[in-house]
């Protein structure tokens, strides 16, 4: 069972982390609060990062059911709060993701669009890559006229350590198709999604 093997590896890794904390003087071996922490951390980690194959399957399932497009206006899923990990520090990132596309023949349900966004965020990937992958998916896989993605990320590696840039939000965007060609369409999207900045703290 690959899931079980992953779990065991994670428990072993977190046990080492707790060992290192003990070396630093923390009572990770005596204090009851640390009992089964390695196991809990392993489970949490498996919730934070899902296997690639599982994600691909779920993306396929989500995109398998589309509906005939009745209009060709912008479909937008705005301000989805979701979570991921940065690949540089394995620290959490809180994202606020807005994504839009302009249908050609098919539309995907708006709740599925939200699920798709949350699913793809939940990986150890760069925010820049997440942004482009989402745009590509909504453009190529949905065979739309165009797609746009705008993401604000609050990175714990920036907010809680190093420069402690509490206020810093990393902003990325990507456009495909008509959003690339028509400045007014791109501007309409940006106006809709940048109305209020990401406020979590
Ligand atoms: Zn980082």
């Amino acid at each position: 069972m690959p899931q079980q093997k992953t779990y065991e590896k994670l428990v072993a890794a977190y046990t080492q982390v707790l060992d290192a904390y003990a070396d630093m003087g923390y009572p990770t071996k005596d204090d009851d609060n640390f009992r089964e922490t390695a196991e809990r951390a392993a489970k949490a980690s498996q919730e934070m990062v899902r296997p690639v194959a599982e994600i691909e399957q779920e993306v396929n399932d989500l995109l398998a059911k589309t509906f005939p497009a009745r209009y060709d206006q912008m479909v937008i899923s705005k301000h989805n709060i979701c979570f991921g990990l940065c690949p540089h520090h394995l620290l959490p990132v809180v994202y606020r993701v807005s994504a839009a596309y302009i249908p050609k023949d098919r539309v995907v349900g708006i709740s599925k669009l939200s699920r798709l966004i949350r699913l793809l965020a939940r990986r150890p990937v760069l925010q820049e890559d997440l942004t482009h992958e989402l745009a590509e998916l909504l453009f190529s896989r949905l065979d739309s006229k165009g797609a746009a993605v705008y993401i604000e990320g609050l990175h714990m590696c920036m907010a809680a350590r190093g420069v402690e840039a509490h206020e810093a939000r990393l902003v990325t965007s990507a456009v495909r198709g008509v959003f690339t060609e028509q400045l007014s369409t791109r501007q309409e999207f940006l106006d809709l999604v940048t109305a209020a900045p990401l406020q979590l703290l």
Side-chain angles (χ1 to χ4, degrees):
M1 252 168 85
Q3 291 272 45
Q4 181 63 24
K5 209 174 155 199
T6 304
Y7 172 72
E8 283 163 13
K9 276 191 181 178
L10 286 166
V11 172
Y14 282 116
T15 302
Q16 297 241 326
V17 170
L18 289 167
D19 249 19
Y21 288 172
D23 290 346
M24 290 162 72
Y26 292 99
T28 60
K29 294 180 202 290
D30 316 309
D31 186 336
D32 263 1
N33 283 308
F34 291 103
R35 193 141 42 96
E36 291 177 27
T37 289
E39 288 81 0
R40 274 192 301 272
K43 279 192 195 122
S45 177
Q46 281 185 295
E47 279 178 48
M48 290 298 292
V49 178
R50 305 254 318 270
V52 170
E54 253 181 58
I55 290 180
E56 277 173 5
Q57 182 61 52
E58 210 168 316
V59 167
N60 289 341
D61 292 348
L62 282 170
L63 291 176
K65 196 153 192 284
T66 54
F67 304 97
R70 292 219 181 82
Y71 61 97
D72 61 358
Q73 302 293 302
M74 193 186 300
V75 177
I76 178 163
S77 179
K78 190 174 146 177
H79 295 178
N80 294 277
I81 298 291
C82 36
F83 302 91
L85 283 186
C86 80
H88 296 154
H89 305 89
L90 300 181
L91 286 172
V93 187
V94 184
Y95 294 117
R96 190 171 74 165
V97 182
S98 297
Y101 69 98
I102 296 177
K104 200 187 283 173
D105 300 316
R106 312 290 299 172
V107 290
V108 65
I110 195 80
S111 66
K112 290 199 172 158
L113 190 52
S114 258
R115 274 173 58 193
L116 192 71
I117 291 168
R118 284 203 300 275
L119 186 66
L120 288 179
R122 201 160 272 244
R123 296 176 300 157
V125 296
L126 270 189
Q127 181 176 327
E128 290 86 336
D129 293 340
L130 169 64
T131 310
H132 282 278
E133 281 170 29
L134 265 172
E136 194 53 39
L137 208 70
L138 295 177
F139 183 51
S140 302
R141 292 282 300 276
L142 262 187
D143 191 26
S144 66
K145 290 180 181 167
V149 176
Y150 180 89
I151 303 183
E152 289 167 85
L154 175 57
H155 292 245
M156 289 311 134
C157 58
M158 280 162 69
R161 58 162 287 285
V163 289
E164 295 205 14
H166 306 289
E167 299 306 317
R169 308 284 183 272
L170 184 64
V171 174
T172 48
S173 64
V175 286
R176 297 286 189 280
V178 291
F179 286 91
T180 321
E181 297 138 22
Q182 294 172 8
L183 202 62
S184 58
T185 309
R186 192 192 319 189
Q187 198 54 50
E188 186 189 342
F189 169 73
L190 285 174
D191 288 346
L192 281 168
V193 301
T194 56
L198 167 64
Q199 268 306 347
L200 286 165
L201 304 170

